[in-house]
């Protein structure tokens, strides 16, 4: 019997503009539709979200790494079984390279211990 795997990724973005202009750039270059809304819970800032082909995408502000003011996360939907069974593929490195090449935005990927794993300049 074949196993089913899910996927996830987290990439930090070095972008000088606001979250609205970053969402516009990502939407245009990646052919997605991130919509920006106010959060209903603290910190009451802006958050972006999009769903496409069974993938949830979030765009948020971040202060985790200097110069990287935003983070983009994605996860496959219906992933509870895969997550519980350790059957998730991490696409962070691929997504970082893809965003940098297509959108011309510098990206960064961190390990769980916050060690820089991958940094690529546009």
């Amino acid at each position: 019997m074949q196993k089913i795997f899910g996927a996830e990724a987290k990439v930090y973005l070095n972008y000088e503009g606001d979250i609205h202009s970053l969402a516009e750039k990502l939407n245009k270059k990646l052919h997605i539709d991130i919509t920006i809304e106010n959060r209903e819970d603290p910190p009451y800032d802006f958050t972006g979200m999009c769903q496409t082909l069974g993938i949830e995408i979030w765009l948020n502000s971040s202060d985790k790494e200097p110069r990287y003011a935003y983070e983009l996360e994605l996860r496959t939907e219906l992933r509870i079984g895969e997550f519980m069974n350790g059957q998730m593929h991490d696409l962070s490195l691929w997504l970082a390279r893809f965003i940098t090449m297509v959108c011309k935005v510098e990206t960064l990927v961190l390990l769980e211990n916050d060690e820089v794993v991958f940094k690529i300049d546009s």
Side-chain angles (χ1 to χ4, degrees):
M1 183 171 178
Q2 294 287 334
K3 289 183 180 182
I4 297 175
F5 288 82
E8 59 190 351
K10 182 186 275 189
V11 175
Y12 294 90
L13 308 170
N14 180 0
Y15 185 76
E16 296 296 322
D18 66 11
I19 194 168
H20 294 90
S21 62
L22 177 56
E24 285 179 30
K25 182 173 193 156
L26 295 172
N27 287 344
K28 181 179 178 184
K29 296 290 188 174
L30 302 178
H31 305 286
I32 57 177
D33 189 23
I34 296 173
T35 56
I36 304 295
E37 298 179 356
N38 284 317
R39 288 185 198 262
E40 295 178 7
D41 299 312
Y44 303 113
D45 59 351
F46 291 106
T47 184
M49 203 275 186
C50 170
Q51 292 177 304
T52 184
L53 293 173
I55 297 173
E56 298 170 337
I57 302 168
W58 294 275
L59 176 63
N60 291 298
S61 297
S62 174
D63 58 2
K64 188 155 184 126
E65 264 308 301
R67 293 186 31 234
Y68 295 85
Y70 302 99
E71 66 181 30
L72 185 75
E73 291 186 78
L74 67 83
R75 290 190 199 106
T76 49
E77 294 185 43
L78 306 174
R79 67 187 171 278
I80 299 301
E82 292 81 16
F83 180 77
M84 298 299 285
N85 292 315
Q87 294 171 205
M88 295 291 288
H89 290 294
D90 188 345
L91 303 178
S92 298
L93 295 175
W94 171 84
L95 184 61
R97 184 186 66 192
F98 187 75
I99 288 172
T100 298
M101 293 176 72
V102 172
C103 301
K104 306 298 185 225
V105 173
E106 183 181 335
T107 57
L108 176 78
V109 175
L110 299 176
L111 289 177
E112 288 183 21
N113 63 2
D114 292 341
E115 179 183 341
V116 174
V117 158
F118 186 74
K119 181 172 132 181
I120 185 164
D121 298 331
S122 56

